């Protein structure tokens, strides 16, 4: 038991708290000092005092919130050591989840705690791959922690979409993607698969796509759908229109010619979830670790103790204990597992 770690890493109502540094990790309320693992809204809230995060994450927060709400941004490139005071050191390691996503590594009292945030092990051209950091306590999510979750290679799912464009050239392929990360990863994968037309995108995806472009990612041509007049919309048949998942269900998508509703998410492995989204086509595209990757990653860190923040907690607890790891659930509130 790393009882000594429990003395300085605590669960508070706002989230995981490093007591000697007086600092929260991904708190769900505004606090004085926060370490932010990545820019998704359930981790990166507005209004903190000091924010320790990668430069990319701070940029993402500034794009999503008002500039003033990230006034105290302290940009930490991966691997840069930051003294948090009282003997606590922080550095960030790649998490492979989205642009700028990081694991928070906290060192204190000759112990090392790694808070992985959301992470994945599948390749993603929009961010550097996850790095295994040996540690005493590994803190992990459990969003897809059931043996049924085995994420297929992205290329297979993209090939499914490409085939559909050929077989159903009269239909507008509407693809529901989350604005931060999923959208850009899917666009790059489509380019790699040879998709050559401009992407037509919903306005909600614009700002973050531009932010990625400022980091050098090349998505080729993309055009906001709002710039295509209603009389010209027939040209969208056989093309890809990217939109946030919520837009699939609303009137916006019904204004396209013969829309084929497609959802790209790790949850698409569950048929009922696909039906909920009214998706006619389901692409299993996840930015989280699947069951095998969750277990293999926890084991690879060598941590005798694994803390599980949220998700399918019991199954992962059981599987890790069977491997001799002392696993326990933290049941942090305020994490939105839908956003995959
Ligand atoms: Zn996330
Ligand atoms: Zn999350």
């Amino acid at each position: 038991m790393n009882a000594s770690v429990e003395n300085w890493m605590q669960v508070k109502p706002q989230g995981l708290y490093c007591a000697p540094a007086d600092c929260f990790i991904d708190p769900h309320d505004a606090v004085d000092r926060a370490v932010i693992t990545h820019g998704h809204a359930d981790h990166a809230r507005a209004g903190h005092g000091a924010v320790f995060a990668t430069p990319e994450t701070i940029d993402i927060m500034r794009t999503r919130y008002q500039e003033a709400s990230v006034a105290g941004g302290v940009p930490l490139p991966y691997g840069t050591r930051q003294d948090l005071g009282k003997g606590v050191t922080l550095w960030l390691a790649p998490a492979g989840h989205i642009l700028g996503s990081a694991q928070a590594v906290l060192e204190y009292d000759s112990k090392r705690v790694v808070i992985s945030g959301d992470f994945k092990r599948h390749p993603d051209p929009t961010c550097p791959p996850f790095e295994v950091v040996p540690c005493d306590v590994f803190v992990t999510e459990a969003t897809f922690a059931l043996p049924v979750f085995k994420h297929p290679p992205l290329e297979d799912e993209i090939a499914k979409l490409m085939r559909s464009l050929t077989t159903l050239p009269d239909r507008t392929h509407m693809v529901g993607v989350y604005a931060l990360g999923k959208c850009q990863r899917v666009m790059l994968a489509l380019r790699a698969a040879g998709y050559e037309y401009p992407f037509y995108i919903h306005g909600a995806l614009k700002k973050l796509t531009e932010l990625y472009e400022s980091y050098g990612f090349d998505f080729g041509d993309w055009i906001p759908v709002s710039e295509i007049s209603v009389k010209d919309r027939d040209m969208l048949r056989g093309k890809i229109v990217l939109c946030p998942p919520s837009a699939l269900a609303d009137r916006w998508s019904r204004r396209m010619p013969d829309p084929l509703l497609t959802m790209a998410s790790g949850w698409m492995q569950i048929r009922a979830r696909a039906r909920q989204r009214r998706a006619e086509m389901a692409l299993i595209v996840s930015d989280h670790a699947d069951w095998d990757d969750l277990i293999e990653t926890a084991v690879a860190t060598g941590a005798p103790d694994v803390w599980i923040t949220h998700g399918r907690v019991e199954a992962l607890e059981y599987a890790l204990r069977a491997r001799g790891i002392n696993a326990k659930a933290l049941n942090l509130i305020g994490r939105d597992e839908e956003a995959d």
Side-chain angles (χ1 to χ4, degrees):
M1 269 294 282
N2 276 302
S4 62
V5 173
E6 284 176 27
N7 290 334
W8 58 276
M9 285 301 300
Q10 301 158 5
V11 177
K12 296 237 181 187
Q14 299 95 320
L16 205 52
Y17 178 66
C18 175
D22 186 24
C23 190
F24 286 89
I25 297 88
D26 292 350
H28 71 87
D29 290 324
V31 298
D32 288 343
R33 277 153 69 89
V35 176
I36 304 296
T37 60
H38 66 285
H40 279 146
D42 56 326
H43 298 258
R45 312 272 169 169
H48 302 309
V51 170
F52 301 93
T54 61
E56 294 88 343
T57 295
I58 290 173
D59 257 3
I60 289 167
M61 291 173 77
R62 289 199 167 120
T63 303
R64 303 191 111 181
Y65 309 124
Q66 282 158 3
E67 180 77 16
S69 72
V70 201
V74 180
L76 294 179
Y78 297 121
T80 305
R81 295 175 75 82
Q82 169 76 35
D83 180 1
L84 290 184
K86 301 269 172 64
V88 181
T89 301
L90 163 74
W91 54 278
L92 303 173
H97 176 56
I98 59 164
L99 176 68
S101 64
Q103 308 174 69
V105 184
L106 288 168
E107 293 169 347
Y108 178 70
D109 195 19
S110 31
K111 295 278 185 190
R112 182 189 280 167
V113 177
V114 173
I115 299 120
S116 58
D118 292 341
F119 72 95
K120 74 168 171 295
R121 307 300 302 268
H122 280 39
D124 180 342
T126 68
C127 56
F130 180 95
E131 249 168 50
V132 173
V133 180
C135 54
D136 300 290
V137 174
F138 182 63
V139 183
T140 181
E141 49 142 332
T143 304
F144 289 108
L146 287 176
V148 296
F149 291 113
K150 184 145 185 60
H151 304 328
L154 178 58
E155 296 74 24
D156 293 3
E157 301 303 289
I158 295 297
K160 213 194 297 181
L161 180 55
M162 293 290 280
R163 275 197 301 277
S164 177
L165 288 163
T166 314
T167 22
L168 302 168
D170 289 335
R171 305 199 56 189
T172 305
H173 286 60
M174 313 281 309
V175 184
V177 285
Y178 288 97
L180 174 55
K182 190 66 56 74
C183 171
Q184 296 78 20
R185 187 177 174 215
V186 164
M187 286 199 289
L188 288 182
L190 279 161
R191 291 298 184 219
Y195 185 77
E196 58 187 2
Y197 301 104
F199 294 116
Y200 297 92
I201 74 167
H202 187 286
L205 308 178
K206 191 171 170 250
K207 271 201 302 187
L208 287 164
T209 298
E210 285 168 345
L211 176 73
Y212 273 68
E213 284 180 332
S214 77
Y215 277 92
F217 295 100
D218 182 4
F219 305 110
D221 284 346
W222 56 267
I223 299 166
V225 173
S226 57
E227 290 177 14
I228 313 284
S229 67
V230 175
K231 67 174 174 42
D232 291 335
R233 294 245 168 119
D234 222 49
M235 61 172 292
L236 298 175
R237 293 180 188 273
K239 307 291 192 311
I240 291 173
V241 175
L242 296 156
C243 61
S246 59
L248 285 182
D250 71 24
R251 212 174 297 160
W252 188 85
S253 63
R254 292 199 289 275
R255 289 196 210 111
M256 311 298 154
D258 203 359
L260 191 161
L261 305 189
T262 303
M263 177 67 197
S265 159
W267 293 112
M268 293 300 103
Q269 278 163 96
I270 300 177
R271 270 173 209 278
R273 298 266 187 149
R275 273 199 301 273
Q276 250 172 34
R277 288 291 189 188
R278 300 192 200 145
E280 212 175 318
M281 182 165 41
L283 304 176
I284 305 165
V285 182
S286 176
D287 289 322
H288 289 257
D290 64 13
W291 173 247
D292 287 340
D293 285 344
L294 283 167
I295 293 169
E296 279 165 28
T297 304
V299 170
T301 63
D305 288 74
V306 171
W307 297 351
I308 307 165
T309 55
H310 68 290
R312 303 299 176 278
V313 170
E314 293 83 5
L316 187 58
E317 238 180 350
Y318 184 84
L320 293 177
R321 283 182 187 165
R323 285 163 178 79
I325 293 168
N326 180 32
K328 76 166 188 181
L330 302 179
N331 292 315
L332 292 189
I333 49 171
R335 293 279 181 271
D336 175 17
E337 61 166 35
E338 285 296 313
D340 177 60

